[in-house]
Amino acid sequence: MDAVAFAVGQWRAEAPTLDHAPTLIFGRLARYAQMLAVMNDRVLAELGLAAWELDVLDTLTRQGAPYSLTAGDLERAMLITSGTTTHRIGRLEARGYVTRSRDADDRRVVNVVLTDAGRAACVTALEALLERQRRALDALETHEQDALTTGLRALGRVLRDAPPDA
Amino acid sequence: MDAVAFAVGQWRAEAPTLDHAPTLIFGRLARYAQMLAVMNDRVLAELGLAAWELDVLDTLTRQGAPYSLTAGDLERAMLITSGTTTHRIGRLEARGYVTRSRDADDRRVVNVVLTDAGRAACVTALEALLERQRRALDALETHEQDALTTGLRALGRVLRDAPPDA
DNA sequence: GCGTATTATCTTGATGTCAAGATAATGCGT
DNA sequence: ACGCATTATCTTGACATCAAGATAATACGC
């Protein structure tokens, strides 16, 4: 009986006419994501890195050489607003992990390039994170991992199609 | 090919020696939770409610009469810090959705009680949210829903046991 | 070419959250 | 009773994020 199942039990007593089944999936998704974030933060904190910093460095690093994207590319890849993008780039630039420069062909565009220090920090952090996550998954049965992969992929399909209101 | 699978593909080209498999689960969990939050926010915004507000109201409502918890209870149920708890209660009190009073037996304790308006807002919002979520789940096959439930429950087990560092 | 619409980024102001410490009440050993 | 540790909540300061609008550069119809 986890916290979400308990909460649904409470709700079924209080409002029996409502269908609370979706909470068993979406409520868990939200709560476990929050718990995952805490776990990740603990690993990254030891390396002096915040999750949002790794988010940027990861997005740039996995592009491969020359490890460059525009501000707009980063914004779309990370699902954040343009204001947050500006802020993130500024902080990482101050830390020496990226450089920022106007594009020569289209001067509205800002090119963000990963520095060697930024790439090194990214790889170190990702190694630690993946190691921690792999150990967590080791506690799952194979069929449970398969169920998660199947279920999450299906859920992604739904959430992608769902966005528009209604 | 969703965004997470694409990112893992990029990473496997850039750093083939790393085991990126955990990302297919944990990366999706994080990203889909963010997408879910956006979906929920859209539904709640039409009702003039923020997700963190429903979080409080929901926790109180599902207790059943007399719809009361201490500040500490709320803090632990919502996985937030004490400072955030104080802030949330204050905002909802100003909005007339909860009342706050010192406990008679232990004056360190603050009792938070849901008002009728708060309970009404909670039920209305939850109905809308569940309806939206149910429609999203309708797009899933039965076996996919089962896989999700199985997988998420197992993941919850792991994340609960994992918290302590290492 | 000119003027308007569009695009890319940045700025401003507000807000929710946390970490760390302050305040205040209770419990407990002697 | 007294003093110290513990507990519950609140305060303060910093910060990441967003919404909305500003700024600046490009595209495009005429």
Side-chain angles (χ1 to χ4, degrees):
Chain A
M1 173 74 95
D2 63 19
V4 174
F6 178 75
V8 168
Q10 288 183 308
W11 262 115
R12 282 179 172 152
E14 175 66 15
T17 64
L18 271 180
D19 174 15
H20 296 282
T23 303
L24 291 174
I25 289 180
F26 288 119
R28 284 195 173 108
L29 181 69
R31 176 164 280 242
Y32 297 166
Q34 187 180 358
M35 292 167 68
L36 169 64
V38 170
M39 185 178 94
N40 287 347
D41 284 346
R42 259 200 289 262
V43 173
L44 293 178
E46 293 185 20
L47 302 170
L49 211 62
W52 66 262
E53 292 178 304
L54 181 58
D55 195 12
V56 179
L57 300 181
D58 176 295
T59 304
L60 285 168
T61 302
R62 69 174 197 254
Q63 304 302 318
Y67 308 105
S68 176
L69 284 176
T70 72
D73 290 337
L74 285 170
E75 174 182 336
R76 285 178 290 276
M78 298 189 291
L79 307 182
I80 56 179
T81 64
S82 63
T84 300
T85 306
T86 298
H87 184 248
R88 286 187 178 188
I89 295 170
R91 300 278 289 160
L92 287 174
E93 186 182 33
R95 205 170 163 175
Y97 284 171
V98 304
T99 62
R100 167 165 35 191
S101 56
R102 289 279 169 185
D103 188 274
D105 294 337
D106 184 342
R107 281 202 292 224
R108 291 171 303 181
V109 171
V110 165
N111 288 113
V112 180
V113 183
L114 198 63
T115 64
D116 289 345
R119 187 152 54 92
C122 178
V123 171
T124 300
L126 198 65
E127 280 173 352
L129 211 54
L130 285 172
E131 167 61 16
R132 178 73 189 80
Q133 294 180 354
R134 191 193 52 68
R135 272 215 315 289
L137 291 182
D138 280 347
L140 293 182
E141 307 286 345
T142 301
H143 78 88
E144 291 172 332
Q145 291 199 30
D146 292 344
L148 256 180
T149 301
T150 299
L152 283 176
R153 291 206 334 145
L155 192 61
R157 204 187 61 223
V158 165
L159 289 172
R160 251 192 316 286
D161 297 348
D165 77 298
Chain B
M1 173 74 94
D2 62 19
V4 174
F6 178 75
V8 168
Q10 287 183 307
W11 261 115
R12 284 181 171 150
E14 176 65 16
T17 63
L18 271 179
D19 174 15
H20 297 282
T23 302
L24 290 174
I25 290 180
F26 288 119
R28 282 194 174 110
L29 180 70
R31 176 165 280 242
Y32 296 166
Q34 187 180 359
M35 292 166 70
L36 169 65
V38 170
M39 186 178 94
N40 287 347
D41 284 346
R42 259 200 290 260
V43 174
L44 294 179
E46 293 185 19
L47 302 170
L49 211 61
W52 67 262
E53 291 177 303
L54 181 57
D55 195 12
V56 179
L57 300 181
D58 175 295
T59 304
L60 285 169
T61 302
R62 69 174 197 254
Q63 304 301 318
Y67 308 105
S68 175
L69 284 176
T70 71
D73 291 337
L74 285 169
E75 172 182 337
R76 285 179 289 276
M78 297 189 293
L79 306 183
I80 57 179
T81 63
S82 64
T84 299
T85 306
T86 298
H87 185 247
R88 286 187 178 188
I89 295 171
R91 299 279 287 161
L92 286 174
E93 186 182 31
R95 205 170 161 175
Y97 284 171
V98 305
T99 62
R100 167 166 32 192
S101 57
R102 288 278 168 186
D103 187 274
D105 294 337
D106 184 342
R107 282 202 295 224
R108 292 170 302 180
V109 172
V110 165
N111 288 114
V112 181
V113 183
L114 198 62
T115 65
D116 288 344
R119 187 151 53 92
C122 178
V123 171
T124 299
L126 199 63
E127 280 172 352
L129 211 53
L130 285 172
E131 166 62 15
R132 179 71 189 82
Q133 293 180 355
R134 192 194 53 69
R135 271 214 316 288
L137 290 183
D138 280 347
L140 293 182
E141 308 286 345
T142 301
H143 78 88
E144 291 172 333
Q145 292 199 30
D146 293 343
L148 256 180
T149 301
T150 299
L152 283 176
R153 291 205 337 144
L155 193 60
R157 205 186 61 223
V158 165
L159 288 173
R160 252 191 316 286
D161 298 346
D165 77 300

